[in-house]
Amino acid sequence: MRERPQRTPLTLRTYARVTAMLRPATALLARRRLKQGKEDPERVQERRGEASIDRPPGRLVWLHGASVGELLSIIPLIERLQARGVTVLVTTVTRTAAGLAARRLPPGAIHQFMPWDVPVYVDRFLRHWQPDLAIFAESELWPNLILRTTARGTPLIQVNGRISERSFKGWQRVPRSIKALLSRFELCLMQTVDDARRIEALGAPRVSTTGNLKFDVPAPEAEPEAAMALAQAIGYRPVFLAASTHEGEDEIVLEAHRLIAPRLTNLLTIIAPRHPERGDAIVALAEAAGLPTCQRSRGELPKLRHAVYVADTLGEMGLFYRAAPVAFLGGSLIRHGGQNPIEPAKLGAAVLHGPHVFNFAAVYEALAADHGARQVTGADDLAEGALLLLADKRERVRQREAAAETVEALGGALERTLAAIEPYFLSLAMRSQ
């Protein structure tokens, strides 16, 4: 178990004082974020640590996954923890993740928004929920949350941990602060050997490499009636999907469509933006480029005259991956860090991606080694790669089979993670007797 923490460095004590003084400013922050649609007006009080429901009696395990990717990665873990007879509290930061939680969390799991990292809000949250164990996914390192959670005696574990080279270099500028934070974790269970090496160098005392939980997440479902309706609307048209695109990439995708269309009759390009609220802007871009477009958020299905289908809804990526034999994954032609290629690989879509995939570097490296994904650098490259895969069935099947085998071989992180945290569940069980 964790050793007694050393005195908190001045930087972290200053951070706590400053965030406490900034508490009044959170009212302005909340108003701005509500206006931008980034907060749920009916649940914004949760960001101040005010619970919207009572705490159930008995043991409670708190899991935090900031956004959609982190939440998806821990859903199988949540299910396995519930089977142990504990209540699971799940916190997220984004509204998108909250919407996903409403659809995908197993029955009995509780969802709340993570409080802002202000001391009084954190304390209010902890007093209400009184977690017996806290588990943070990936790279969430909020100082007040970490220090105040562990000060209450709550064991804290990091699962599916990752730390990029960029973050590593940033934390090296404040070595005492990051070491003080990492020393509060009972365990840091990291995705890759490189992640483990970096976090150990920053001062984490107990580190293991357990793999990436995202490899063990079941492929997203597709509602049968919606899948049938979309399949009937598409018919025998060739389909190219641009998934989780970010601002600055849609123009590149539309240019790629323009280059492919003369060589592939009746091509339909589906653009599924990472942030669905950008749907109207993408429609405007496509129509300005002379491409007839329809929009899923308006209840429309593509007709033969439509060149582009803007899929600006939530929770339907399983539908679109099944509809498209070739998928470009966004966030990779800009310096965002890429998107998770595991879901399309499991659903049989041949994957294209840009060069900026540092958030999923190990996954893409494994896919590249097995020739299970193809890198592109711009519109010409994207058009060439998509056309090759759409026109050559043999190459398309070869690539997607290679990707599926790679993803299958890299599974097992869930069992390794459960084995690592088992002693903490035994301790909970003994304390509750």
Side-chain angles (χ1 to χ4, degrees):
M1 296 294 178
R2 178 170 46 85
E3 300 172 1
R4 184 178 180 86
Q6 297 179 351
R7 179 176 170 81
T8 304
L10 177 61
T11 50
L12 296 180
R13 285 182 278 135
T14 302
Y15 173 85
R17 287 195 293 269
V18 170
T19 50
M21 289 188 294
L22 289 175
R23 175 188 172 190
T26 60
L28 296 174
L29 174 65
R31 283 199 291 271
R32 186 180 72 178
R33 288 179 62 83
L34 284 166
K35 186 175 181 180
Q36 294 171 336
K38 294 181 178 180
E39 298 290 347
D40 184 338
E42 297 182 359
R43 298 179 63 184
V44 71
Q45 76 279 1
E46 293 174 21
R47 301 289 266 147
R48 295 188 288 269
E50 299 172 12
S52 55
I53 61 173
D54 292 335
R55 183 198 191 279
R59 294 174 295 159
L60 182 142
V61 177
W62 166 31
L63 282 88
H64 175 65
S67 193
V68 168
E70 293 92 334
L71 177 60
L72 283 172
S73 73
I74 59 175
I75 286 177
L77 180 60
I78 292 166
E79 294 169 341
R80 296 288 289 272
L81 297 183
Q82 283 185 308
R84 303 294 301 268
V86 300
T87 298
V88 176
L89 167 69
V90 181
T91 56
T92 62
V93 172
T94 67
R95 287 191 73 180
T96 306
L100 179 70
R103 297 187 303 273
R104 296 285 295 272
L105 283 183
I110 300 168
H111 175 266
Q112 297 280 279
F113 282 99
M114 177 72 107
W116 284 311
D117 200 37
V118 173
V120 66
Y121 298 161
V122 173
D123 289 341
R124 185 182 293 156
F125 173 89
L126 293 171
R127 278 196 305 270
H128 179 85
W129 292 108
Q130 300 177 39
D132 296 289
L133 176 65
I135 300 174
F136 288 5
E138 298 207 12
S139 55
E140 290 290 280
L141 294 173
W142 292 103
N144 290 327
L145 276 163
I146 291 171
L147 297 176
R148 297 176 112 78
T149 297
T150 55
R152 296 173 64 91
T154 304
L156 177 60
I157 296 172
Q158 181 182 29
V159 300
N160 217 39
R162 64 182 177 89
I163 180 165
S164 68
E165 188 66 28
R166 181 179 179 181
S167 294
F168 173 65
K169 291 177 180 177
W171 281 117
Q172 283 183 312
R173 300 190 186 101
V174 283
R176 294 187 66 239
S177 297
I178 186 59
K179 185 175 181 179
L181 292 176
L182 294 176
S183 71
R184 297 296 184 113
F185 284 85
E186 298 280 352
L187 291 172
C188 291
L189 306 178
M190 310 304 289
Q191 294 182 17
T192 69
V193 172
D194 285 342
D195 292 315
R197 173 185 57 78
R198 292 179 191 124
I199 208 162
E200 280 185 322
L202 291 174
R206 290 159 294 277
V207 179
S208 295
T209 303
T210 48
N212 191 336
L213 286 171
K214 291 175 181 174
F215 285 108
D216 295 327
V217 176
E221 299 292 333
E223 201 277 319
E225 291 185 5
M228 183 178 297
L230 183 58
Q232 290 175 346
I234 292 172
Y236 293 100
R237 298 177 68 180
V239 181
F240 169 51
L241 169 66
S244 296
T245 61
H246 290 250
E247 189 171 356
E249 293 183 313
D250 306 297
E251 297 91 336
I252 298 172
V253 172
L254 294 170
E255 176 62 12
H257 174 98
R258 190 189 65 79
L259 294 171
I260 300 170
R263 303 170 64 183
L264 208 58
T265 305
N266 292 328
L267 172 68
L268 175 67
T269 293
I270 301 175
I271 301 180
R274 178 66 173 174
H275 302 105
E277 61 271 19
R278 294 199 306 108
D280 290 344
I282 298 170
V283 170
L285 284 172
E287 292 183 342
L291 299 172
T293 303
C294 61
Q295 194 170 357
R296 188 162 183 83
S297 64
R298 297 178 181 273
E300 299 171 339
L301 287 169
K303 295 181 169 57
L304 186 59
R305 64 183 178 85
H306 292 124
V308 175
Y309 187 35
V310 177
D312 53 343
T313 53
L314 290 171
E316 292 194 299
M317 286 311 301
L319 173 66
F320 304 126
Y321 283 135
R322 286 175 171 87
V326 178
F328 162 73
L329 295 192
S332 60
L333 287 172
I334 61 170
R335 291 187 178 276
H336 175 76
Q339 300 296 157
N340 180 9
I342 298 171
E343 289 183 353
K346 286 187 174 184
L347 290 174
V351 172
L352 299 165
H353 64 90
H356 306 296
V357 291
F358 47 82
N359 286 337
F360 301 91
V363 181
Y364 280 104
E365 286 171 8
L367 289 172
D370 295 333
H371 305 286
R374 183 181 297 265
Q375 180 175 306
V376 299
T377 57
D380 291 345
D381 226 7
L382 180 57
E384 181 182 345
L387 180 61
L388 170 65
L389 292 168
L390 287 168
D392 188 338
K393 182 178 179 180
R394 181 178 295 181
E395 174 59 19
R396 184 170 71 245
V397 170
R398 183 212 60 75
Q399 181 174 314
R400 73 187 189 190
E401 287 181 350
E405 290 174 4
T406 300
V407 168
E408 179 69 23
L410 290 172
L414 177 60
E415 297 301 329
R416 290 188 288 271
T417 299
L418 287 165
I421 65 178
E422 177 64 20
Y424 298 91
F425 276 94
L426 292 176
S427 177
L428 287 182
M430 291 175 64
R431 293 206 306 268
S432 65
Q433 291 176 353

